[in-house]
Amino acid sequence: MRSRSVSYLFFSMLFLGICVSRSASAQPEKAEAAIRTIMEQQKVAGLSVAVVRNNQVVYTHSFGLKNIESNEPLTDDCIFRIASISKSFTATAMMQLAEAGKVSLEEDMGKLVGFRVRNPKFPDQVITLRMVLSHRSSINDSQGYFTLDAINPDKNPNWEKCYNEYAPGTGYQYCNLNYNMAGTLIEKLSGERFDQYIKHHILDPLGLYGGYCVDSLDKARFATIYEYNIDSTKFMASPAAYAPRSKEIAAYEMGYSTPVFSPTGGMKISAGDLARYMIMHSKLGKYKGKRIISKKHARDMQTPLSDKENYGLALLKTDKLIAGKTLTGHTGSAYGLYSAMFFQPDEKFGIVVISNGCHPGYTDGFNTVIRKTVNSLYEAFILK
């Protein structure tokens, strides 16, 4: 018995040693020092970050301030409006409805949404749901995107200006109106209000706290979003980022008023929970035993429709963020906030960075603060 106990202790210690040696490559002190240097060199209100390794969240941390006026520190449980990363939640919901047989990505968007959606220069060419989700619809935001009235011929006499000169499916232009229309379809196809559908079918199954409806969330957890003014070198709070729009919701019309919740940019969530959602996409639709979408539809979202833009369905590929790595994910920017969610599915790592306000400068297509922070985290936690 004594020999068996000694053997058990030996192998237990050996296993523990292996675990420690594997995690020893992580250097949180290195990352935190680098990020503090970034914040000293650049103007940054706050940063919240999360690192995924081996498809597990191994690190979360927050830097700077949640609220500049009250000098309240940013913490890991703070939630942010993450801007355009929100589109991936809308596309994920659409994949679920496609799997359920309620819609095809090749269907006519006009028939789905309930009014004519055709480029007047190419009236006989169908604009499909897939074109809308991939920003290849030939639709633009020139008439606004906070209401479907912008593109509805019965509501806007200038609706034709919503369309570009090229034929649907032949070109790319990033367009927020595309995703506000897609969010409307989720209501029409499911019978659930958009924000509730996302909560019931994506957030709750994954055990995540967040959502699109401001009044349904704990406002004490909101990180104040600031826009940095280069001329005055000051941060100005952006209360519109969390405008509850309670009056509009009180008069809500299912299947039309959906842009109130901004399916294109209105998700509020913490960096840590966004990283857990990211793992689901990295693992092709499944996280901790919960399958959210099929492998086929997960791959569909991650597959670019053009090598030029490298954009799939609310997820894009880039080799410009971390040198030598092709990553999948999305960025966000609105009201002064900047965010990034990118993962490498083959190597099972990913990084989430959210700033509630920073210098708006860009490097190689990415906000410079976000880019530098991502690379600091990669070097400290992933690079061997």
Side-chain angles (χ1 to χ4, degrees):
M1 285 293 292
R2 189 169 182 272
S3 174
R4 185 175 298 176
S5 298
V6 171
S7 297
Y8 176 79
L9 180 62
F10 171 79
F11 283 110
S12 296
M13 292 178 68
L14 178 62
F15 175 74
L16 180 60
I18 291 171
C19 288
V20 171
S21 67
R22 284 179 176 173
S23 62
S25 62
Q27 301 178 60
E29 297 84 2
K30 176 182 177 182
E32 289 163 20
I35 291 170
R36 290 191 178 98
T37 298
I38 293 168
M39 295 179 72
E40 289 170 4
Q41 294 174 344
Q42 306 280 338
K43 294 293 185 179
V44 183
L47 282 167
S48 195
V49 307
V51 178
V52 168
R53 191 175 58 205
N54 294 324
N55 282 332
Q56 294 183 344
V57 178
V58 297
Y59 177 78
T60 59
H61 200 72
S62 296
F63 306 80
L65 297 175
K66 170 185 178 181
N67 186 283
I68 294 174
E69 289 75 23
S70 64
N71 204 39
E72 188 177 354
L74 194 63
T75 56
D76 289 358
D77 67 345
C78 288
I79 59 177
F80 308 75
R81 179 178 178 136
I82 59 171
S84 286
I85 299 174
S86 306
K87 290 179 173 67
S88 68
F89 287 85
T90 300
T92 299
M94 197 61 75
M95 297 302 103
Q96 291 178 332
L97 294 167
E99 286 173 30
K102 294 186 177 182
V103 70
S104 164
L105 299 187
E106 315 313 325
E107 286 189 57
D108 184 332
M109 193 66 187
K111 291 181 179 178
L112 292 170
V113 81
F115 54 82
R116 185 173 175 81
V117 179
R118 290 290 175 94
N119 188 322
K121 301 170 187 65
F122 306 93
D124 297 328
Q125 296 192 28
V126 172
I127 294 175
T128 67
L129 177 54
R130 186 184 298 277
M131 292 175 187
V132 165
L133 295 176
S134 60
H135 298 299
R136 300 183 66 79
S137 61
S138 76
I139 297 171
N140 63 58
D141 288 329
S142 67
Q143 297 297 294
Y145 56 87
F146 292 110
T147 169
L148 297 193
D149 288 357
I151 196 171
N152 187 340
D154 296 329
K155 302 286 187 177
N156 181 13
N158 295 315
W159 65 272
E160 293 186 1
K161 294 181 179 179
C162 289
Y163 296 90
N164 294 329
E165 296 293 328
Y166 55 82
T170 65
Y172 170 94
Q173 182 174 343
Y174 193 86
C175 171
N176 288 300
L177 183 55
N178 279 329
Y179 270 83
N180 277 348
M181 285 197 293
T184 301
L185 292 188
I186 290 168
E187 293 185 343
K188 287 179 171 289
L189 296 168
S190 71
E192 288 185 76
R193 202 173 73 178
F194 173 78
D195 62 309
Q196 292 297 305
Y197 182 95
I198 299 296
K199 173 177 168 53
H200 295 153
H201 299 273
I202 300 175
L203 297 176
D204 287 351
L206 293 175
L208 310 179
Y209 182 82
Y212 285 81
C213 181
V214 170
D215 287 337
S216 298
L217 298 167
D218 181 359
K219 295 178 182 61
R221 294 179 61 176
F222 288 173
T224 305
I225 294 175
Y226 296 91
E227 191 151 10
Y228 179 71
N229 187 298
I230 297 175
D231 295 329
S232 67
T233 68
K234 292 182 179 180
F235 284 102
M236 301 297 294
S238 300
Y242 299 120
R245 306 190 73 178
S246 305
K247 291 182 179 179
E248 293 94 329
I249 294 172
Y252 199 83
E253 180 185 345
M254 282 283 289
Y256 196 83
S257 300
T258 324
V260 164
F261 293 111
S262 188
T264 199
M267 171 59 75
K268 293 90 180 169
I269 197 169
S270 68
D273 274 350
L274 183 58
R276 294 175 184 94
Y277 165 80
M278 176 179 69
I279 293 171
M280 179 273 292
H281 279 293
S282 181
K283 296 181 68 176
L284 293 177
K286 190 175 183 179
Y287 177 67
K288 289 191 173 180
K290 299 283 187 179
R291 178 154 294 283
I292 302 301
I293 54 175
S294 70
K295 288 183 179 180
K296 174 186 178 299
H297 284 95
R299 288 194 182 97
D300 219 10
M301 286 184 65
Q302 297 179 34
T303 303
L305 276 76
S306 165
D307 292 337
K308 183 179 179 181
E309 295 85 21
N310 282 317
Y311 200 95
L313 308 180
L315 291 173
L316 60 89
K317 291 190 185 297
T318 182
D319 59 4
K320 304 297 184 185
L321 183 56
I322 298 176
K325 297 294 175 184
T326 298
L327 304 175
T328 300
H330 213 288
T331 59
S333 61
Y335 302 101
L337 172 137
Y338 291 90
S339 58
M341 174 194 80
F342 283 92
F343 57 94
Q344 218 303 326
D346 296 331
E347 299 181 38
K348 301 179 181 179
F349 77 81
I351 296 172
V352 168
V353 176
I354 307 173
S355 174
N356 61 328
C358 66
H359 191 285
Y362 271 68
T363 303
D364 287 338
F366 294 92
N367 173 270
T368 302
V369 170
I370 298 296
R371 178 190 177 83
K372 288 184 174 182
T373 304
V374 166
N375 277 274
S376 295
L377 293 166
Y378 174 76
E379 290 169 9
F381 288 94
I382 309 300
L383 186 64
K384 296 179 180 178

